[in-house]
């Protein structure tokens, strides 16, 4: 396979995957408010440094607030291998600032090395937990605050997206019914 054919193949695969996820998003059941609330709860949890427990915690919150469990789980994907470094960096810096403590560079660099080297999420969590009360508090408080700051606007953004999708789907149904 030539490099051009390989590139076209990858592009075709990417386009196909994006189309698949779009169709899955369009077919979600629930009101736009429930879907958007689930997404916002997932994003809130995704901003917290509880990596191996994010999906379970987001689904539990979705159950508690009568939101979509599927979109809550999807919302946690804001925290992924590409964004972990930035999310954890700002969580720790913000939490340290709010607590009035100076950031422990050794703790932070050990957590970041664990993330960069691809260690298991439980190993990253154990490094955070081994930091003691103040280090853990800095990560958690920073995560809570950044989670609130990011999830509130995300609710309204996703509410608009889900309303648009619902309206588009209803219009498509009307057109089909008018033809028959």
């Amino acid at each position: 396979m030539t490099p051009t054919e390989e590139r076209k193949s990858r592009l075709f695969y990417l386009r196909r995957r994006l189309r698949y996820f779009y169709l899955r998003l369009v077919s979600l059941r629930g009101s736009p408010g429930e879907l958007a609330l689930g997404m916002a709860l997932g994003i809130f949890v995704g901003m917290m440094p509880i990596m191996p427990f994010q999906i379970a915690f987001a689904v539990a919150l979705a159950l508690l607030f009568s939101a979509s469990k599927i979109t809550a789980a999807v919302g946690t994907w804001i925290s992924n291998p590409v964004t972990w470094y930035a999310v954890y960096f700002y969580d720790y810096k913000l939490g340290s600032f709010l607590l009035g403590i100076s950031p422990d560079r050794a703790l932070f660099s050990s957590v970041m090395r664990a993330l960069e080297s691809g260690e298991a999420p439980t190993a990253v969590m154990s490094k955070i937990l081994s930091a003691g009360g103040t280090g853990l508090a800095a990560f958690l408080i920073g995560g809570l605050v950044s989670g609130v700051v990011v999830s509130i606007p995300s609710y309204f953004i996703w509410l608009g997206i889900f309303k648009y999708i619902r309206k588009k789907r209803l219009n498509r149904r009307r057109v089909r019914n008018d033809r028959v």
Side-chain angles (χ1 to χ4, degrees), residues 26 30 32 162-178:
V26 169
F162 288 124
K163 282 182 177 180
Y164 173 78
I165 290 171
R166 182 67 43 96
K167 183 178 175 183
K168 190 174 175 181
R169 189 172 10 166
L170 288 174
N171 286 340
R172 197 175 315 133
R173 284 184 186 162
R174 284 188 194 127
V175 169
R176 272 192 215 139
N177 289 340
D178 289 344

Side-chain angles (χ1 to χ4, degrees), residues 76-93:
T76 63
W77 294 351
I78 193 170
S79 174
N80 60 63
V82 175
T83 62
W84 282 337
Y85 190 86
V87 168
Y88 281 45
F89 176 80
Y90 288 112
D91 284 353
Y92 186 66
K93 291 290 186 176

Side-chain angles (χ1 to χ4, degrees), residues 23 40 49 84 87 102 111 125 152 159:
L23 291 173
W84 282 337
V87 168
S102 62
V111 171
M125 275 301 295
I152 290 173
L159 182 63

Side-chain angles (χ1 to χ4, degrees), residues 34-35 37-43 45-46 54-55 57-63 67-77:
E34 291 171 346
L35 297 171
L37 181 59
M39 190 66 80
L41 290 171
I43 290 171
V45 173
Q54 287 176 334
I55 291 177
F57 189 50
V59 169
L61 284 176
L63 286 168
S68 168
K69 295 170 282 304
I70 293 172
T71 56
V74 169
T76 63
W77 294 351

Side-chain angles (χ1 to χ4, degrees), residues 1-18:
M1 182 180 280
T2 67
T4 305
E5 290 172 337
E6 187 176 323
R7 210 176 5 233
K8 285 182 181 178
S9 175
R10 276 193 234 141
L11 185 61
F12 175 75
Y13 176 76
L14 178 64
R15 203 178 301 154
R16 186 174 168 191
R17 295 296 293 175
L18 288 173

Side-chain angles (χ1 to χ4, degrees), residues 108-129:
F108 185 72
S109 63
S110 74
V111 171
M112 292 302 116
R113 270 195 307 278
L115 287 170
E116 288 171 354
S117 66
E119 288 187 34
T122 52
V124 176
M125 275 301 295
S126 69
K127 288 188 185 298
I128 292 172
L129 292 172

